Amino acid sequence: MEYGIKDLRTKAIDAAYEQFGSTGALSMRKVGAALGVSAPALYHHFADKQELLYAVADRAFSEFDRRLRSSDSRDPHRVIHGILGQYRRFAADHPSLFGLMFVEPRPSARCFPRDFAAHRLAVFNQLWNAVAECVSDSADGTSDDSLYAAHDLWALAHGQILLWRAGRFENDRTFEETFDRSIERFITAL
């Protein structure tokens, strides 16, 4: 197949995203085969397999962002439940991508508190604003209390998901009920 330079890079990311999402592994040879090119041809676009994995993670974050923005509620409790519920569902639907995005270290990963406080994470900003509306001392989402409370809530959800992925719940229903109850207790305590 003939690809333009930019097209091959995009197609390689697409193929790698599909491959990694379904198998949890990435082979430059298999990505190349899926595109009808040699693995060495891919190294003209990616320095190494790790660079392609970073591109897969970036694509997954774009999909993740779209999913988490799907709530159209203005009620802060519903926004919080909606965002974190979508976070849980993304982890269930895409376990390999979730691990790549949130468990594996990445040099370009956003860091707390600097990047979070600078509003560099669009979905986190939505969560932060919803938490700020629930926190009595801040309605504008800029206080340290609401920033740290939103991060604590995100970390609670993330921790619950990692425990579920490690098989620490009796079944999926128990996990979902525990997850929802934990979020509700946290919101109520705000």
Side-chain angles (χ1 to χ4, degrees), residues 50-179:
Q50 192 61 53
E51 185 179 329
L52 180 54
L53 274 172
Y54 293 151
V56 167
D58 289 342
R59 168 126 183 255
F61 271 109
S62 294
E63 170 64 24
F64 178 72
D65 186 61
R66 274 191 299 280
R67 249 182 133 162
L68 270 63
R69 288 175 177 270
S70 64
S71 175
D72 58 358
S73 178
R74 297 204 185 274
D75 175 63
H77 289 97
R78 292 183 89 162
V79 170
I80 292 168
H81 277 287
I83 288 172
L84 297 179
Q86 286 290 348
Y87 187 64
R88 176 181 52 79
R89 285 186 283 288
F90 186 90
D93 294 346
H94 306 284
S96 297
L97 292 169
F98 182 87
L100 177 64
M101 296 161 61
F102 294 109
V103 179
E104 297 299 319
R106 291 186 333 128
S108 64
R110 304 294 166 90
C111 294
F112 188 83
R114 179 190 64 237
D115 294 323
F116 289 66
H119 303 283
R120 293 189 178 118
L121 293 94
V123 172
F124 183 81
N125 292 339
Q126 288 182 290
L127 181 67
W128 182 8
N129 289 335
V131 167
E133 288 184 45
C134 297
V135 176
S136 61
D137 69 337
S138 173
D140 63 1
T142 59
S143 83
D144 279 351
D145 287 343
S146 62
L147 172 65
Y148 280 83
H151 184 267
D152 291 347
L153 183 54
W154 195 281
L156 169 69
H158 186 74
Q160 293 274 11
I161 290 168
L162 292 181
L163 289 170
W164 168 69
R165 288 186 56 179
R168 304 295 190 203
F169 290 91
E170 289 178 3
N171 54 47
D172 290 349
R173 183 176 175 169
T174 301
F175 161 62
E176 291 171 10
E177 290 172 355
T178 303
F179 185 89

